[in-house]
Amino acid sequence: MLAWYDRHRRDLPWRTPPGERPDPYRVWLSEIMLQQTTVVTVAPYFDRFVARWPSVSSLASASLDEVLHLWQGLGYYARARNLHACARAVVEQHGARFPDDVAGLRTLPGIGDYTAAAIAAIAFDRRAAAVDGNVERVVSRVFAVREPMPLAKPQLRALAASLVPAQRAGDFAQALMDLGATICTPRKPRCVLCPWREDCAARAGGFADDLPVQAVKPERPLRRGVVFWLQRGDGAVLLRRREEKGLLGGMIEVPSTPWREAAWSEDEALSSAPAKTKWTKLPGTVQHGFTHFRLDLTILAATTDAPPEGIWARPEQFKDYAFPTLTKKVVKHALSVLSD
Ligand code: ADE
C-alpha cells in the first residue's frame, strides 16, 4: 500500500513533500476543512487561509468575523467557529503547539475521533486509524463485511486499526483516503488497479460494488419558513445575525419566521414580521438542503418609511458580510424577482 502511495499519491495543497516534516497547523486546518467537504472544494479555501494566516498564532489573533468571512461558501459554519476557538485554545493552553497524540487532540474544539486520529497520524506519525466513510468502504470490501451501516461501524473501526502499520502511519492514512477516492470508489471500483486486489475478499467474491451495505435512509423532512425582505428608501435591506448556538450560528440572514414542517398562513407568518406594513408575496420559493431536513422559503417583500433598528445594508455592500449559502440564495432570488 505504501509503495502504491509513493507512486500514486495525489498532490494536494496540504500535503508535505516526502522527507519533509509536516506542519501540524496545516494538517489540522485541512482536516477541519475536509470534514464533509470534497478535496476540490477545499483546495482554494485552504490556500487562501494559509496565505492570510500562516500559523496557528496568526489565526488565533484574527476576529471570528474575519474567519467566518473567509469561510463563506464552505458550509457547516460551526466548523469555522470551532476552528477559531481551537486556534485560541492551542495558543492559550498549549503554548501555540498542537498536542501530539489522539487523546490530547480530542480535547480541542471541533476535533472528534476521526480528525484526532487523522492529525495524530499525519502530523505526528502516531499509529492511529482515521476512519471516515471512504475508509469504511475500503475496509468493508477487503474483509467482506456484510453487516449494514451504521451497525457495522465498530467492527470496521477495529479492522481498520488492525491494518495500520508501525511505520509511516500518516502516509498510510492518506494512502487509504486516496485509494477510497480514486480506486475503491462507491460504484464501479477499479479493482484491477488496486494494490490490495489479491487480498480483497469482496473482489474475490465479485461483490465489491455492493459494499458497504447501507441501511435504508428515511427521507429528510421538509421545513418551511417565510422571509421578510424589507427595503428602506435608500435601497438598504434589513438583515439580522442568527443566534450563536445552533445551525448557521452567528451567520447573517434575512429576517424570517422560524422553520417548521407545518405550512404558514399569512396571518400567522406576519406575527414574526419586522414591520407592520403591506407585504407582497414574491413569486417562487427558495430551496435549500441541510443534513437533516430540506427547507422551502417563501419571501414577502415590502418597503418602509419607518425603518426598525437592525443591520441595514445596500445590495452592493452585501459582499462585506459573511453570508451563508442559504442567505445568498434568498438574496439572489429576491433581487432577480424585484428587478424584473
Ligand atoms: N480527506 C480527509 N483528509 C484528507 C487528506 N488529508 N487528504 C485527502 N483527503 C482527505
Side-chain angles (χ1 to χ4, degrees):
M1 179 63 125
L2 289 168
W4 173 83
Y5 184 66
D6 290 337
R7 255 177 290 130
H8 299 286
R9 76 203 288 277
R10 289 181 293 168
D11 186 20
L12 302 172
W14 47 88
R15 293 219 168 142
T16 314
E20 280 180 33
R21 258 183 179 289
D23 174 357
Y25 168 67
R26 292 169 64 96
V27 174
W28 161 75
L29 178 63
S30 64
E31 290 302 335
I32 301 297
M33 290 183 162
L34 286 159
Q35 292 167 357
Q36 285 106 27
T37 311
T38 62
V39 160
V40 172
T41 306
V42 165
Y45 282 88
F46 178 83
D47 287 337
R48 287 195 287 270
F49 265 70
V50 292
R52 174 102 167 253
W53 298 300
S55 65
V56 69
S57 317
S58 56
L59 180 58
S61 358
S63 72
L64 177 58
D65 252 10
E66 290 174 293
V67 173
L68 286 169
H69 197 205
L70 213 58
W71 193 271
Q72 206 182 117
L74 257 187
Y76 302 95
Y77 293 87
R79 290 185 296 167
R81 278 176 287 124
N82 279 330
L83 185 85
H84 187 248
C86 183
R88 295 206 160 165
V90 168
V91 169
E92 287 160 17
Q93 294 160 27
H94 300 274
R97 295 167 78 93
F98 280 87
D100 69 359
D101 61 11
V102 170
L105 289 160
R106 191 69 183 77
T107 64
L108 292 166
I111 300 189
D113 290 337
Y114 168 79
T115 305
I119 301 171
I122 299 169
F124 302 111
D125 231 9
R126 297 281 182 179
R127 201 173 167 189
V131 184
D132 67 354
N134 284 312
V135 174
E136 285 171 347
R137 183 170 62 255
V138 174
V139 172
S140 72
R141 289 173 178 173
V142 171
F143 294 99
V145 174
R146 289 170 172 282
E147 190 173 10
M149 300 296 284
L151 277 182
K153 276 175 181 278
Q155 188 188 354
L156 294 175
R157 216 171 298 133
L159 289 169
S162 76
L163 295 172
V164 182
Q167 307 290 322
R168 299 181 62 191
D171 286 347
F172 181 78
Q174 298 193 87
L176 268 188
M177 291 168 191
D178 285 7
L179 191 76
T182 64
I183 291 185
C184 198
T185 47
R187 264 165 292 282
K188 294 199 198 309
R190 307 220 255 295
C191 299
V192 291
L193 301 176
C194 180
W196 278 347
R197 62 188 171 271
E198 304 299 336
D199 312 304
C200 180
R203 165 166 151 90
F207 51 82
D209 222 339
D210 304 332
L211 295 183
V213 177
Q214 297 293 347
V216 189
K217 275 202 200 127
E219 176 145 6
R220 285 178 300 171
L222 177 66
R223 294 191 191 164
R224 301 169 169 90
V226 178
V227 171
F228 301 98
W229 181 269
L230 187 62
Q231 270 187 303
R232 269 188 335 207
D234 65 351
V237 177
L238 181 63
L239 304 173
R240 73 177 175 192
R241 191 181 290 277
R242 292 178 62 85
E243 279 184 28
E244 286 298 325
K245 280 210 176 338
L247 195 63
L248 304 180
M251 307 301 297
I252 301 286
E253 68 177 0
V254 184
S256 82
T257 63
W259 305 336
R260 65 175 197 198
E261 287 179 33
W264 292 88
S265 71
E266 190 147 320
D267 276 356
E268 217 184 349
L270 288 177
S271 68
S272 303
K276 275 211 161 52
T277 178
K278 186 175 156 31
W279 294 94
T280 307
K281 182 176 171 312
L282 300 186
T285 62
V286 173
Q287 282 154 20
H288 191 67
F290 289 105
T291 317
H292 299 295
F293 62 92
R294 294 167 295 137
L295 182 64
D296 193 280
L297 296 175
T298 306
I299 306 181
L300 300 183
T303 51
T304 179
D305 305 326
E309 287 280 306
I311 308 171
W312 289 90
R314 290 193 308 280
E316 61 273 22
Q317 299 170 315
F318 288 170
K319 60 179 182 332
D320 303 332
Y321 291 83
F323 283 175
T325 303
L326 175 62
T327 303
K328 285 186 187 161
K329 285 186 186 174
V330 168
V331 164
K332 187 170 169 203
H333 187 81
L335 290 176
S336 81
V337 168
L338 289 167
S339 71
D340 281 347

